[in-house]
mmCIF file of all heavy atoms in Angstrom:
data_model
loop_
_atom_site.group_PDB
_atom_site.id
_atom_site.type_symbol
_atom_site.label_atom_id
_atom_site.label_comp_id
_atom_site.label_asym_id
_atom_site.label_seq_id
_atom_site.Cartn_x
_atom_site.Cartn_y
_atom_site.Cartn_z
ATOM 1 N N VAL B 455 145.502 55.545 51.920
ATOM 2 C CA VAL B 455 144.290 55.273 52.759
ATOM 3 C C VAL B 455 143.038 55.426 51.898
ATOM 4 O O VAL B 455 142.103 54.615 51.987
ATOM 5 C CB VAL B 455 144.237 56.220 53.989
ATOM 6 C CG1 VAL B 455 142.923 56.047 54.727
ATOM 7 C CG2 VAL B 455 145.416 55.946 54.912
ATOM 8 N N ILE B 456 143.041 56.446 51.018
ATOM 9 C CA ILE B 456 141.817 56.647 50.184
ATOM 10 C C ILE B 456 141.614 55.443 49.252
ATOM 11 O O ILE B 456 140.521 54.950 49.112
ATOM 12 C CB ILE B 456 141.990 57.988 49.413
ATOM 13 C CG1 ILE B 456 141.880 59.145 50.359
ATOM 14 C CG2 ILE B 456 140.849 58.072 48.365
ATOM 15 C CD1 ILE B 456 142.130 60.498 49.733
ATOM 16 N N ARG B 457 142.732 55.008 48.623
ATOM 17 C CA ARG B 457 142.589 53.843 47.740
ATOM 18 C C ARG B 457 142.115 52.627 48.514
ATOM 19 O O ARG B 457 141.271 51.823 47.991
ATOM 20 C CB ARG B 457 143.978 53.491 47.118
ATOM 21 C CG ARG B 457 144.352 54.345 45.967
ATOM 22 C CD ARG B 457 145.685 53.890 45.272
ATOM 23 N NE ARG B 457 146.419 55.007 44.785
ATOM 24 C CZ ARG B 457 146.118 55.665 43.644
ATOM 25 N NH1 ARG B 457 145.114 55.244 42.906
ATOM 26 N NH2 ARG B 457 146.789 56.729 43.269
ATOM 27 N N PHE B 458 142.618 52.458 49.669
ATOM 28 C CA PHE B 458 142.204 51.320 50.527
ATOM 29 C C PHE B 458 140.693 51.411 50.851
ATOM 30 O O PHE B 458 139.909 50.463 50.676
ATOM 31 C CB PHE B 458 143.018 51.354 51.812
ATOM 32 C CG PHE B 458 142.525 50.384 52.858
ATOM 33 C CD1 PHE B 458 142.801 49.032 52.798
ATOM 34 C CD2 PHE B 458 141.796 50.886 53.984
ATOM 35 C CE1 PHE B 458 142.303 48.137 53.756
ATOM 36 C CE2 PHE B 458 141.362 49.997 55.000
ATOM 37 C CZ PHE B 458 141.622 48.640 54.889
ATOM 38 N N ALA B 459 140.269 52.615 51.254
ATOM 39 C CA ALA B 459 138.847 52.795 51.556
ATOM 40 C C ALA B 459 137.964 52.568 50.326
ATOM 41 O O ALA B 459 136.924 51.951 50.417
ATOM 42 C CB ALA B 459 138.605 54.191 52.123
ATOM 43 N N ALA B 460 138.465 53.026 49.201
ATOM 44 C CA ALA B 460 137.720 52.867 47.965
ATOM 45 C C ALA B 460 137.589 51.385 47.596
ATOM 46 O O ALA B 460 136.477 50.891 47.325
ATOM 47 C CB ALA B 460 138.395 53.630 46.817
ATOM 48 N N ALA B 461 138.693 50.681 47.694
ATOM 49 C CA ALA B 461 138.703 49.237 47.298
ATOM 50 C C ALA B 461 137.811 48.464 48.252
ATOM 51 O O ALA B 461 137.117 47.519 47.807
ATOM 52 C CB ALA B 461 140.121 48.716 47.304
ATOM 53 N N GLU B 462 137.830 48.807 49.495
ATOM 54 C CA GLU B 462 137.073 48.034 50.499
ATOM 55 C C GLU B 462 135.695 48.616 50.786
ATOM 56 O O GLU B 462 135.041 48.188 51.687
ATOM 57 C CB GLU B 462 137.908 47.934 51.831
ATOM 58 C CG GLU B 462 139.274 47.349 51.638
ATOM 59 C CD GLU B 462 139.301 45.857 51.261
ATOM 60 O OE1 GLU B 462 138.209 45.225 51.354
ATOM 61 O OE2 GLU B 462 140.315 45.315 50.847
ATOM 62 N N ARG B 463 135.375 49.693 50.054
ATOM 63 C CA ARG B 463 134.063 50.331 50.212
ATOM 64 C C ARG B 463 133.813 50.736 51.676
ATOM 65 O O ARG B 463 132.749 50.461 52.242
ATOM 66 C CB ARG B 463 132.919 49.432 49.746
ATOM 67 C CG ARG B 463 133.030 49.013 48.301
ATOM 68 C CD ARG B 463 131.771 48.340 47.818
ATOM 69 N NE ARG B 463 131.950 47.774 46.482
ATOM 70 C CZ ARG B 463 132.007 48.517 45.347
ATOM 71 N NH1 ARG B 463 131.932 49.807 45.433
ATOM 72 N NH2 ARG B 463 132.177 47.904 44.172
ATOM 73 N N LEU B 464 134.799 51.375 52.214
ATOM 74 C CA LEU B 464 134.664 51.890 53.583
ATOM 75 C C LEU B 464 134.388 53.377 53.589
ATOM 76 O O LEU B 464 134.957 54.108 52.748
ATOM 77 C CB LEU B 464 135.977 51.622 54.353
ATOM 78 C CG LEU B 464 136.392 50.174 54.546
ATOM 79 C CD1 LEU B 464 137.775 50.088 55.166
ATOM 80 C CD2 LEU B 464 135.356 49.424 55.434
ATOM 81 N N LEU B 465 133.548 53.824 54.507
ATOM 82 C CA LEU B 465 133.343 55.266 54.697
ATOM 83 C C LEU B 465 134.589 55.799 55.416
ATOM 84 O O LEU B 465 135.084 55.193 56.366
ATOM 85 C CB LEU B 465 132.132 55.463 55.582
ATOM 86 C CG LEU B 465 131.889 56.878 56.110
ATOM 87 C CD1 LEU B 465 131.479 57.814 54.974
ATOM 88 C CD2 LEU B 465 130.778 56.869 57.201
ATOM 89 N N LEU B 466 135.100 56.948 54.932
ATOM 90 C CA LEU B 466 136.259 57.582 55.575
ATOM 91 C C LEU B 466 135.746 58.592 56.566
ATOM 92 O O LEU B 466 135.077 59.564 56.245
ATOM 93 C CB LEU B 466 137.072 58.354 54.516
ATOM 94 C CG LEU B 466 138.190 57.584 53.803
ATOM 95 C CD1 LEU B 466 138.663 58.365 52.576
ATOM 96 C CD2 LEU B 466 139.348 57.402 54.772
ATOM 97 N N LEU B 467 136.157 58.350 57.848
ATOM 98 C CA LEU B 467 135.772 59.305 58.912
ATOM 99 C C LEU B 467 137.068 60.009 59.328
ATOM 100 O O LEU B 467 137.868 59.425 60.072
ATOM 101 C CB LEU B 467 135.218 58.528 60.118
ATOM 102 C CG LEU B 467 133.854 57.977 60.024
ATOM 103 C CD1 LEU B 467 133.554 57.087 61.242
ATOM 104 C CD2 LEU B 467 132.854 59.102 59.948
ATOM 105 N N VAL B 468 137.259 61.250 58.865
ATOM 106 C CA VAL B 468 138.535 61.907 59.055
ATOM 107 C C VAL B 468 138.395 63.022 60.090
ATOM 108 O O VAL B 468 137.716 64.006 59.849
ATOM 109 C CB VAL B 468 139.109 62.468 57.734
ATOM 110 C CG1 VAL B 468 140.574 62.754 57.879
ATOM 111 C CG2 VAL B 468 138.851 61.494 56.580
ATOM 112 N N ASP B 469 139.072 62.817 61.196
ATOM 113 C CA ASP B 469 139.061 63.814 62.277
ATOM 114 C C ASP B 469 140.246 64.795 62.017
ATOM 115 O O ASP B 469 141.398 64.420 62.231
ATOM 116 C CB ASP B 469 139.211 63.115 63.640
ATOM 117 C CG ASP B 469 138.803 64.025 64.776
ATOM 118 O OD1 ASP B 469 138.997 65.245 64.668
ATOM 119 O OD2 ASP B 469 138.345 63.516 65.814
ATOM 120 N N GLU B 470 139.905 65.970 61.531
ATOM 121 C CA GLU B 470 140.956 66.924 61.171
ATOM 122 C C GLU B 470 140.923 68.183 62.081
ATOM 123 O O GLU B 470 141.203 69.271 61.633
ATOM 124 C CB GLU B 470 140.852 67.277 59.704
ATOM 125 C CG GLU B 470 140.969 66.090 58.764
ATOM 126 C CD GLU B 470 140.837 66.386 57.256
ATOM 127 O OE1 GLU B 470 139.971 67.160 56.880
ATOM 128 O OE2 GLU B 470 141.616 65.753 56.508
ATOM 129 N N VAL B 471 140.557 67.922 63.347
ATOM 130 C CA VAL B 471 140.362 69.080 64.240
ATOM 131 C C VAL B 471 141.628 69.879 64.527
ATOM 132 O O VAL B 471 141.547 71.050 64.891
ATOM 133 C CB VAL B 471 139.696 68.735 65.587
ATOM 134 C CG1 VAL B 471 138.261 68.305 65.423
ATOM 135 C CG2 VAL B 471 140.478 67.685 66.363
#
Side-chain angles (χ1 to χ4, degrees):
Chain B
V455 173
I456 293 175
R457 280 185 213 282
F458 170 77
E462 304 292 347
R463 301 190 187 287
L464 298 172
L465 170 70
L466 270 167
L467 286 172
V468 197
D469 195 330
E470 301 180 318
V471 291

